[in-house]
Amino acid sequence: MEKVFHESATYHLTGEAIYLDDIPQANVLIGHLVGSKVAKGKIVSTNITKALEVKGVHAILSHKDVVGINNLGTIVHDEEALAVNEVRFVGQPIFLIAAQTKEQAIEAEKLIEIEIAAEIPILTIFEAIVADAKVQPTRTMKTGDAENILALSENKFSGSIEIGGQEHWYLETQASLCIPGEGNEMKVISSTQNPTEVQMIVAENLGVSLHEVEVEVRRLGGGFGGKETNAHHVATWAAILAKHCKQPVKIKLTRDEDQKITGKRHPYFIEYKVGFSQEGIIQAIEIDIHSNAGSARDLSMSILERSMLHAENAYFVENMTIKATAWKTNLPSNTAFRGFGAPQSMAAMENIIDEIASFLSVDAAEIRYKNFYGVESRNTTPYGQLVSNNRLYSIWNELIQTSDYYTRRKEIQRFNASNNYLKKGLAITPVKFGISFTTSFLNQAGALVNIYTDGTVLVNHGGVEMGQGLFTKMQQIAALELGVSLEKIKVNATNTSKVPNTSPTAASSGSDLNGAAVKAAILTLKERFQETIANYFTEKNKGKQISENKDIILKNNLVFDWRNPEREITFAQAATILRLKQVSLSATGFYRTPNINFSRETESGNAFHYFAFGMAVSEVSIDILTGECVIERADILHDVGESINSNIDIGQIEGAFVQGLGWVTSEEMKYNAKDKKN
Ligand code: QUE
């Protein structure tokens, strides 16, 4: 397909793109959170009397004012919407204020008295291990007999790696605008990757049914996983205030508030033991993965599961035991972040490879290549899924050549031999990533496609546009399947009343799932066009020669019988004919991913629909006196199959590389037991 630009590219550039905070809303109050100043403690007393007198303040609510469950946890309800007796992280909301302006709300906040008996918090994995604060019992996945084979291995060592968290830093902070309607109705406009879960959590906290809550999302200013569950929180707080005040309420966190209270990428501590032959073939690995879950469960167990399912990365490990534990701490509950736990465990595996190479004094590239999953054999993951469509060798061969790996390796050796303080390094690093939600039921999507009599098409689907280009791809799929040009297709804001019961836009599956649902809806419509227009052509020609349904083609904004090419009308004329013939111009589509059967009981089965493969060759220089590190060059090659939109895919790959680079080079999360500002 020709190069197609992001459907909102012009709006992004001119500033016309409407984000949540740009939506005009009359009569709106500003919602504000009053949170804990300490990471752990018991609430002793509170007093809001003086604060209530501040001009412009409409309401100050506590947990006592929450009609519903007062909980934000999705998989388990373990996260109070407003703290009841105790606080578990700095910034945890205790009160909500609705005021005419943010300034008035902040003025009121200063007058709220909260006495908390502070306790010693747990901030790190190591403190949590001492306190035995597991989120759930340790999970174990096994293949072969790692323990015995390790004991017999020629070469072995043990090691560990500590990996920090990461702030999502989406350009648009968490935001929601809630507009109460008649009776129990609540319209929730949310910057969320997960409209259905926002609908569920809002409904449960308001104590109303799901059909009373409508969630709408036009676009996000970035998500990266940070708006997969954390958007529920802001939406729920705004909805609680809106219902109480009977007035629209908007909450848009300031950057400081957002950074303080929202979940991040999970920090990890990973220990390993590895046994390998003199040739560098890995014989056995025991790996013990620990994650810092923060104060609630959130998605930590699913994230940990993805860590386990990627612990071997692109390598065949015949004997492997993977243990994994998430630890409860007093941080804001950590959450989904691009890669969803896989990058942390893959980093440990890559560390193992580097250490084997250094042990054997060979280029790590050699160890990587030797241990890659095979094509005919050595191709089963530790959880028993066959690695089919293995692209490791084709990517390797191409990238080694295009990056000029071996010439540069030699140059770097010369450079390092002649420079004492500036050193260079070169690595080729593979990734194998499983595509599907590992929570199997989430692998589904719906769509609703409406065609109007002027030949324009409105596509609704369950996915969320967060800048990644999903809507552009949906537009392209609809245009291709209906045989009309792109400008005839508009993709509507995502809305739970148009397409219900959606899965989050996550797990690298937004285009696959929603694209297939859109296609399914269009196939239904296409069949109606073929039948109706075949009949129309036959009737019009007085049955002289029958037009068959299967011969009716939709292409180039036309509908025609390819056997009788003079029988041709425009797509818009055809749409009008369907209406006159009383045939529906609207259809739903549904898709569920086939052949996923991973079992948590046996820790085995097909966890993914397929694997995606990629590699990068990175050259860095490090000043060993100052620590200054420069990325001299990076060559990235991914197999994306038949790209729907190569501009967008390249943008995603470049963006992901840079985001990962920030994580592993310059970003660091630091936490205190107290809010330093107070
Ligand atoms: C990648 C994943 C998963 C994911 C997000 C990713 C995944 C998964 C969930 C999930 C589970 C339950 C929920 C929810 C999301 O998200 O496997 O909102 O309630 O189960 O980026 O693999």
Side-chain angles (χ1 to χ4, degrees):
M1 205 181 242
E2 81 281 17
K3 288 216 164 170
V4 173
F5 289 104
H6 192 291
E7 45 88 35
S8 293
T10 315
Y11 293 157
H12 288 158
L13 282 173
T14 59
E16 285 170 274
I18 292 182
Y19 293 89
L20 192 139
D21 205 30
D22 303 322
I23 299 169
Q25 177 61 50
N27 216 17
V28 65
L29 297 174
I30 301 302
H32 180 72
L33 316 172
V34 181
S36 171
K37 306 276 190 241
V38 298
K40 186 164 191 258
K42 298 262 177 334
I43 301 171
V44 179
S45 67
T46 62
N47 187 342
I48 59 170
T49 319
K50 280 184 239 151
L52 277 169
E53 284 162 19
V54 173
K55 186 172 159 278
V57 169
H58 283 232
I60 301 178
L61 307 184
S62 75
H63 68 94
K64 291 181 196 141
D65 303 297
V66 182
V67 177
I69 61 168
N70 187 40
N71 211 291
L72 304 170
T74 46
I75 296 171
V76 289
H77 289 325
D78 65 347
E79 227 170 323
E80 287 166 356
L82 292 173
V84 180
N85 295 316
E86 54 168 27
V87 287
R88 298 194 296 188
F89 65 93
V90 170
Q92 181 180 352
I94 302 168
F95 290 103
L96 297 172
I97 302 177
Q100 272 156 7
T101 65
K102 182 88 176 172
E103 291 71 24
Q104 291 164 341
I106 291 170
E107 195 58 37
E109 178 184 10
K110 289 182 191 147
L111 299 173
I112 293 180
E113 294 157 23
I114 302 174
E115 193 191 334
I116 295 177
E119 296 166 10
I120 297 170
I122 295 173
L123 299 180
T124 65
I125 291 171
F126 307 105
E127 290 163 9
I129 291 174
V130 171
D132 197 27
K134 289 184 182 180
V135 176
Q136 279 195 352
T138 299
R139 249 175 100 168
T140 307
M141 191 179 277
K142 264 184 173 185
T143 187
D145 183 356
E147 198 185 348
N148 279 314
I149 302 296
L150 253 172
L152 300 172
S153 284
E154 292 165 69
N155 303 302
K156 62 194 112 178
F157 60 77
S158 58
S160 67
I161 179 170
E162 225 182 306
I163 309 161
Q166 187 179 21
E167 159 63 36
H168 301 84
W169 238 88
Y170 23 66
L171 287 174
E172 178 201 29
T173 55
Q174 305 272 357
S176 179
L177 167 63
C178 291
I179 307 155
E182 296 178 356
N184 284 331
E185 281 177 8
M186 185 65 70
K187 174 151 188 179
V188 179
I189 305 174
S190 169
S191 179
T192 178
Q193 292 174 240
N194 201 347
T196 287
E197 280 187 13
V198 167
Q199 181 190 22
M200 288 171 164
I201 296 295
V202 166
E204 285 182 298
N205 281 280
L206 297 185
V208 304
S209 307
L210 286 171
H211 66 187
E212 302 283 9
V213 180
E214 174 190 352
V215 179
E216 183 163 300
V217 191
R218 178 60 193 84
R219 61 167 67 75
L220 319 186
F224 313 116
K227 295 172 180 173
E228 198 172 323
T229 60
N230 280 221
H232 311 3
H233 306 184
V234 172
T236 302
W237 294 320
I240 290 168
L241 284 169
K243 186 163 170 89
H244 182 94
C245 297
K246 298 187 171 59
Q247 219 173 306
V249 171
K250 175 156 72 182
I251 298 182
K252 178 159 197 310
L253 298 184
T254 62
R255 182 63 65 183
D256 270 4
E257 289 168 338
D258 194 305
Q259 293 201 150
K260 196 192 318 180
I261 70 167
T262 62
K264 320 275 180 256
R265 185 189 289 285
H266 289 62
Y268 272 58
F269 170 62
I270 302 176
E271 297 171 285
Y272 48 79
K273 286 188 197 143
V274 55
F276 51 99
S277 70
Q278 200 54 32
E279 291 73 46
I281 304 289
I282 297 171
Q283 294 161 329
I285 293 180
E286 281 182 346
I287 187 161
D288 204 351
I289 303 171
H290 306 272
S291 79
N292 184 332
S295 62
R297 185 167 129 169
D298 189 79
L299 299 175
S300 296
M301 297 316 293
S302 304
I303 291 165
L304 198 64
E305 181 172 72
R306 190 169 274 272
S307 307
M308 299 176 84
L309 296 169
H310 287 78
E312 90 297 6
N313 193 13
Y315 310 104
F316 175 69
V317 184
E318 198 169 359
N319 300 284
M320 190 162 188
T321 301
I322 304 159
K323 290 196 170 144
T325 317
W327 298 93
K328 230 181 216 194
T329 62
N330 295 104
L331 305 186
S333 188
N334 286 318
T335 193
F337 196 130
R338 222 170 185 181
F340 207 70
Q344 290 95 324
S345 64
M346 291 191 298
M349 186 66 206
E350 293 306 322
N351 225 35
I352 290 173
I353 297 273
D354 284 335
E355 288 177 12
I356 294 174
S358 144
F359 186 100
L360 297 174
S361 301
V362 296
D363 182 357
E366 195 184 306
I367 306 297
R368 289 196 162 88
Y369 189 85
K370 279 185 179 168
N371 285 284
F372 276 162
Y373 273 112
V375 176
E376 301 287 330
S377 60
R378 293 171 53 88
N379 56 358
T380 313
T381 64
Y383 46 94
Q385 178 162 359
L386 195 69
V387 180
S388 48
N389 71 288
N390 181 339
R391 299 290 191 271
L392 292 165
Y393 299 95
S394 51
I395 296 175
W396 173 279
N397 289 338
E398 188 172 334
L399 191 59
I400 286 281
Q401 206 169 27
T402 55
S403 69
D404 217 4
Y405 181 88
Y406 287 108
T407 315
R408 286 163 64 203
R409 164 66 60 209
K410 281 196 204 113
E411 280 167 14
I412 284 172
Q413 274 161 350
R414 275 198 296 275
F415 182 93
N416 286 344
S418 58
N419 282 276
N420 282 341
Y421 302 118
L422 198 59
K423 298 287 182 187
K424 282 191 179 181
L426 182 71
I428 176 162
T429 314
V431 60
K432 162 182 133 289
F433 198 76
I435 308 297
S436 290
F437 286 96
T438 55
T439 302
S440 303
F441 84 91
L442 291 172
N443 294 299
Q444 59 171 302
L448 166 68
V449 177
N450 299 335
I451 299 178
Y452 299 93
T453 49
D454 63 352
T456 60
V457 182
L458 191 62
V459 173
N460 296 274
H461 61 82
V464 168
E465 174 62 37
M466 51 193 121
Q468 88 281 42
L470 177 65
F471 277 28
T472 313
K473 290 184 174 178
M474 297 304 101
Q475 191 187 26
Q476 288 180 267
I477 288 171
L480 185 72
E481 295 297 327
L482 269 180
V484 300
S485 42
L486 274 181
E487 69 276 6
K488 302 278 184 206
I489 314 275
K490 184 178 158 174
V491 183
N492 217 12
T494 313
N495 187 307
T496 54
S497 69
K498 303 269 185 351
V499 177
N501 311 317
T502 61
S503 293
T505 302
S508 315
S509 61
S511 303
D512 287 11
L513 296 176
N514 294 290
V518 168
K519 185 173 166 179
I522 288 179
L523 285 185
T524 303
L525 288 163
K526 214 163 142 176
E527 281 170 15
R528 290 183 201 155
F529 268 74
Q530 286 174 312
E531 184 178 347
T532 311
I533 302 306
N535 286 339
Y536 168 81
F537 285 150
T538 306
E539 277 169 30
K540 205 162 171 239
N541 292 283
K542 312 244 175 328
K544 261 187 258 161
Q545 193 188 339
I546 290 172
S547 275
E548 304 262 6
N549 295 2
K550 66 174 173 36
D551 296 330
I552 303 298
I553 306 290
L554 285 77
K555 205 173 170 184
N556 298 334
N557 298 317
L558 297 171
V559 181
F560 57 91
D561 178 347
W562 73 273
R563 288 183 185 278
N564 300 284
E566 74 289 352
R567 296 180 183 185
E568 176 187 284
I569 52 177
T570 65
F571 180 76
Q573 285 168 332
T576 301
I577 291 166
L578 261 74
R579 180 155 192 255
L580 295 175
K581 298 278 183 192
Q582 296 166 295
V583 178
S584 170
L585 282 165
S586 176
T588 58
F590 185 77
Y591 175 77
R592 65 168 163 268
T593 312
N595 305 328
I596 294 179
N597 58 18
F598 181 76
S599 155
R600 287 177 185 160
E601 277 70 52
T602 61
E603 299 284 16
S604 69
N606 289 345
F608 305 109
H609 189 34
Y610 61 93
F611 294 104
F613 297 89
M615 276 177 218
V617 170
S618 304
E619 181 178 337
V620 300
S621 64
I622 294 180
D623 183 323
I624 61 169
L625 294 180
T626 64
E628 186 191 3
C629 170
V630 176
I631 312 294
E632 302 283 353
R633 175 173 161 179
D635 295 55
I636 309 169
L637 185 61
H638 276 254
D639 176 34
V640 300
E642 200 176 317
S643 176
I644 299 173
N645 188 316
S646 52
N647 277 349
I648 282 173
D649 290 345
I650 289 169
Q652 283 297 301
I653 290 165
E654 289 176 349
F657 184 86
V658 171
Q659 194 166 36
L661 187 62
W663 175 43
V664 296
T665 56
S666 54
E667 295 164 33
E668 192 176 352
M669 312 295 314
K670 290 185 176 172
Y671 292 94
N672 299 307
K674 280 195 186 124
D675 194 338
K676 281 260 174 167
K677 274 198 177 163
N678 294 277

